[in-house]
């Protein structure tokens, strides 16, 4: 904790405003928390550690609902652990986001009529750092708005000096262990960004294309193949068929003519070909398709590249210089002219990869790149989960994890960019290759030069759990806070970021995995379950909702929808409902303070408490235990729901209301209840704090006079339970609920008073008669009292005198009309369901609808009949 944390706590607020205004509270509170060092973590502490790293947002990014969702969950976990006495580190930082950041700065240069090549590499990188300093990282301020309790003094950036050292160190080690190599392979290539990109940077969408079937060879040696990328046929070096396909056995081993070229190509037999798909024959273009590349390797086929980095045709002939899409049309036309087009299907909808940054169609391309040999690393990552060192939550996600790590291909880590960690390899004039670590001197002299590529962004972010703690130095922070306690992240990057952290962590940290638990959450969707997107018109800026309803309202809504591994729907009306909950907490606490609720002194002995006091304390301890269990199981939705219903329903709607008569009566029972109410609010606010930190901080400090709920103790289950009190208050709730329902059925206004006789003597509810009368607006019976309606509920009798309160004749007429309508509806539905001819022809959904109508009619008849029976004079 910083020196500021030692200063005197601010004077407690002695009086709450009549309304909660989040905009007036949140900003100053957050700055106070940061200034006092509440979120900092001391590596020298003897407290047990609890560590979570932030999934580093892109430096180009801004807070979206996915960030707000994930950050809310992490913040709730870390706030609770801090209150439980753990040395808690939530590690913040940002990712340099190679392609995204370079694109942003290149667009800025484009406005000036320049490109990065006009500046040169060094000047361009300086320009990127300048942009980062001026415009990057706006998400940090937005995280403060949300209330993120991160250790800001430890903030890291994947391009800062320490992390650069970590990148060079692990690259060198992997290289020396022959786990990094350079080779020609098929990669995802963006012709716009002019770089290889990772699988996660490829967005697949259904595009309208064309499927063209064309004939290769002549006479008896013809064979038909189909493709959606006709332009690649210029690079075909074989046709492949399945070894067991009798249709083509006479062709295997022969050479056939490749149209539009002066070449002939072999027909090869390969197990990869599906004889049931299409014609059972496929064209093989090893330089432009990953599957074809593997076929080419198995059959020692040449790989002929026919496109350059801009996806422009380079093959000699009439198509040279055409863009790939122009060439596609021209080649199909030329084949059609030769009579080689067998079939054309347009539109042909198929999945096509696009660059996630610029939306350009990806081109599979043979390229010389740097690769990580992942087999031994991936095996270690799989074993760590299999042997229980790392738990995946929810457990059903383990299968997806194993499906990925058990089938990983080598990882292309080089990118043809300027912004990023430059590959630490130097090439000499005579073909020498030297990998340079952070403590090595780079070779100098004529002819030596460094590789121009940079590393994939995922390479540096894969080191995040330990590079942020000072690795490769054996720092105090590394010893204290590694491995992380839990990783909270979306299932959508399980394969990409999570798998890479597992591989690198186990490799660099001598077999110690980077975290004990991987807690996976789903994606945020709109209230109808649809993916949020600007193009769909349903994207939401979370700042707008925070401005309108407060950060607590957004956080509570997100947490209340967070079931492990499941997508989260969210709508504005739900956020508004959470705002109402914050207001309810505010108003109830304000009422309690006005009525003398206190936390001073110990709780009175149970023998001095009323059954209402014992009931709420019993329920409070049950909820503490329930919330703890849900936290430990990452059940944010369930813990939020449990707290919502306990606070709103049991504390505010029942205990506070039942206690009003006690407060009014005064005396020792009132003093006891004031202390109990103070205790209940104290604990409830602490339980709520991790999810709704701002409103609870204001209320808790006002109620208790404490410095901050951020550093208050997490509530513990005292073990106090009182089953008798719970049964008694449960019965009382049943009586009040049933009488309220009857009043509503009779059309009585909520505040309308009715004479009543309560037969409570000899029951556990006798002491509650004042509260029952107050809550139900029941007057004492007068001399002229006539019991016109009697309600027996849970062994208690409530007799009401409704004469002069309602027009019995008019009410009976109205109910009779409703009953007739319900009986008519039942008769019609019953007749249809009894008609065999109708049932034989009607669709299932129509029959089901009629069954639903019948069930509703039965329920209406029962309800109306009961109301008629209860009317005076029945």
């Amino acid at each position: 904790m910083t020196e500021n944390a030692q200063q005197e706590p601010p004077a407690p607020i002695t009086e709450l405003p009549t309304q909660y205004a989040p905009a007036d509270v949140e900003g100053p509170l957050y700055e106070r928390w940061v200034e006092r060092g509440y979120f900092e973590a001391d590596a020298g502490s003897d407290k047990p550690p609890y560590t979570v790293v932030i999934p580093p947002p892109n430096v180009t990014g801004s807070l979206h609902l996915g960030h707000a969702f994930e950050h809310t969950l992490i913040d709730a976990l870390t706030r609770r652990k801090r209150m439980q006495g753990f040395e808690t580190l939530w590690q913040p930082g940002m990712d340099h986001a190679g392609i995204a950041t370079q694109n942003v700065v290149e667009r800025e240069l484009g406005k000036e009529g320049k490109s990065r090549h006009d500046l040169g590499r060094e000047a361009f990188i300086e320009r990127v750092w300048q942009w980062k300093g001026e415009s990057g990282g706006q998400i940090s301020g937005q995280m403060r708005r949300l209330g993120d309790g991160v250790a800001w003094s430890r903030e890291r950036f994947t391009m800062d000096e320490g992390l650069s050292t970590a990148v060079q160190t692990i690259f060198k080690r992997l290289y020396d262990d022959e786990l990094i190599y350079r080779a020609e392979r098929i990669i995802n290539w963006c012709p716009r960004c002019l770089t290889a990109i990772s699988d996660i940077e490829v967005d697949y969408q259904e595009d309208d294309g064309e499927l063209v079937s064309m004939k290769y060879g002549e006479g008896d040696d013809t064979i038909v193949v189909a493709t959606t990328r006709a332009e690649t046929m210029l690079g075909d070096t074989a046709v492949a068929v399945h070894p067991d396909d009798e249709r083509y056995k006479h062709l295997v081993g022969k050479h056939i003519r490749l149209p539009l070229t002066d070449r002939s190509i072999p027909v090869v037999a390969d197990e990869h070909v599906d004889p049931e798909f299409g014609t059972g024959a496929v064209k093989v273009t090893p330089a432009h398709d990953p599957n074809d590349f593997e076929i080419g390797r198995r059959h020692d086929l040449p790989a002929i590249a026919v496109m350059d980095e801009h996806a422009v045709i380079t093959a000699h002939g009439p198509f040279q210089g055409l863009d790939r899409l122009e060439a596609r049309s021209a080649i199909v036309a030329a084949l059609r002219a030769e009579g080689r087009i067998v079939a054309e299907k347009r539109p042909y909808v198929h999945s096509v990869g696009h660059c996630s940054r610029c939306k350009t169609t990806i081109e599979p391309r043979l390229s010389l790149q740097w690769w990580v040999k992942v087999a031994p690393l991936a095996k270690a990552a799989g074993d760590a989960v299999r042997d229980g060192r790392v738990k995946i939550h929810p457990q059903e996600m383990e299968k997806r994890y194993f499906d990925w790590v058990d089938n990983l291909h080598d990882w292309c880590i080089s990118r043809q960019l300027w912004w990023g960690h430059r590959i630490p390899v130097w090439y000499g004039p005579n073909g020498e290759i030297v990998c340079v670590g952070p403590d090595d001197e780079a070779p100098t002299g004529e002819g030596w030069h460094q590789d121009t590529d940079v590393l994939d962004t995922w390479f540096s972010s894969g080191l995040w759990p330990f590079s942020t703690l000072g690795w490769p130095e054996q720092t105090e922070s590394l010893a204290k806070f590694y491995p992380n306690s839990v990783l909270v992240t979306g299932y959508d990057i399980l394969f990409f970021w999570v798998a890479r952290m597992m591989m690198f962590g186990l490799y660099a940290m001598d077999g110690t995995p980077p975290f004990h638990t991987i807690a996976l959450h789903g994606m945020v969707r709109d209230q109808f379950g649809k993916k949020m997107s600007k193009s769909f018109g349903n994207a939401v800026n979370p700042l707008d909702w925070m401005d309108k309803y407060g950060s607590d309202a957004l956080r509570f809504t997100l947490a209340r929808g967070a079931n492990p591994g499941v997508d989260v729907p969210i709508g504005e009306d739900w956020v508004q409902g959470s705002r109402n909950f914050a207001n309810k907490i505010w108003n109830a606490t304000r009422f309690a303070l006005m009525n003398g609720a206190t936390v001073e002194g110990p709780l009175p002995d149970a023998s001095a408490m009323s059954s209402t006091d014992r009931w709420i304390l019993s329920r409070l301890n049950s909820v503490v235990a329930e919330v703890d269990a849900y936290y430990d199981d990452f059940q944010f939705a369930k813990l939020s729901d449990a707290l919502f219903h306990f606070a709103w329903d049991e504390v505010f709607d029942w205990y506070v209301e039942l206690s009003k008569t006690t407060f009014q009566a005064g005396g020792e029972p009132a003093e006891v209840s004031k202390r109990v109410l103070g205790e209940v609010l104290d604990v409830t606010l602490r339980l709520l704090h991790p999810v709704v930190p701002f409103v609870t901080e204001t209320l808790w400090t006002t109620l208790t006079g404490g410095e901050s709920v951020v550093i208050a103790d997490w509530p513990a289950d005292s073990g106090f339970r009182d089953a008798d009190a719970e049964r008694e208050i449960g019965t009382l709730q049943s009586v009040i609920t049933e009488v309220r329902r009857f009043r509503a059925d009779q059309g009585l206004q909520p505040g309308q008073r009715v004479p009543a006789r309560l037969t409570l003597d000899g029951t556990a509810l006798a002491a509650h008669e004042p509260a029952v009368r107050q809550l139900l607006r029941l007057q004492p019976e007068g001399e002229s009292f006539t019991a016109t309606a009697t309600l027996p509920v849970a062994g208690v009798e409530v007799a009401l005198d409704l004469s002069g309160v309602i027009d019995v004749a008019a009410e009976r007429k109205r109910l009779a009309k409703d009953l007739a309508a319900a009986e008519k509806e039942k008769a019609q539905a019953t007749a249809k369901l009894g008609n065999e001819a109708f049932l034989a022809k009607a669709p299932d959904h129509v029959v089901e609808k009629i069954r639903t109508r019948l069930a509703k009619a039965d329920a209406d008849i029962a309800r109306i009949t009961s109301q008629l029976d209860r009317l005076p004079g029945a």
Side-chain angles (χ1 to χ4, degrees), residues 42-151:
D42 180 5
S45 164
D46 59 2
K47 296 178 182 178
Y50 187 81
T51 318
V52 185
V53 293
I54 196 171
N58 287 354
V59 67
T60 59
S62 60
L63 192 74
H64 56 64
L65 272 177
H67 288 129
F69 172 54
E70 186 168 80
H71 291 200
T72 294
L73 305 187
I74 300 174
D75 197 41
L77 290 174
T78 53
R79 284 179 182 269
R80 171 176 176 256
K81 285 295 181 180
R82 192 176 292 111
M83 295 171 74
Q84 286 182 316
F86 286 77
E87 194 62 45
T88 303
L89 170 60
W90 183 8
Q91 172 66 53
M94 285 184 292
D95 192 284
H96 65 276
I99 294 178
T101 305
Q102 181 158 318
N103 280 348
V104 167
V105 178
E106 284 195 88
R107 282 196 296 270
E108 293 296 315
L109 284 174
K111 296 174 183 176
E112 302 170 14
K114 297 177 182 178
S115 72
R116 60 181 163 123
H117 300 284
D118 293 323
L119 271 66
R121 185 171 192 136
E122 289 188 11
F124 176 76
I125 291 174
E126 286 180 13
R127 180 71 176 259
V128 178
W129 278 108
Q130 179 185 343
W131 174 87
K132 192 256 181 187
E134 295 173 354
S135 306
Q138 63 173 311
I139 200 169
S140 296
Q142 296 165 343
M143 287 167 59
R144 293 170 182 264
R145 283 286 314 276
L146 191 64
D148 287 2
V150 299

Side-chain angles (χ1 to χ4, degrees), residues 375-390 392 401-402 405-406 499 502-503 506:
L377 303 174
K379 181 181 184 304
D383 290 346
V385 175
R386 287 189 169 95
D387 64 25
R389 281 175 290 159
V390 178
I392 293 180
Y401 176 79
F402 292 135
V405 297
D406 293 346
M502 286 285 284
M503 291 191 295
L506 289 159

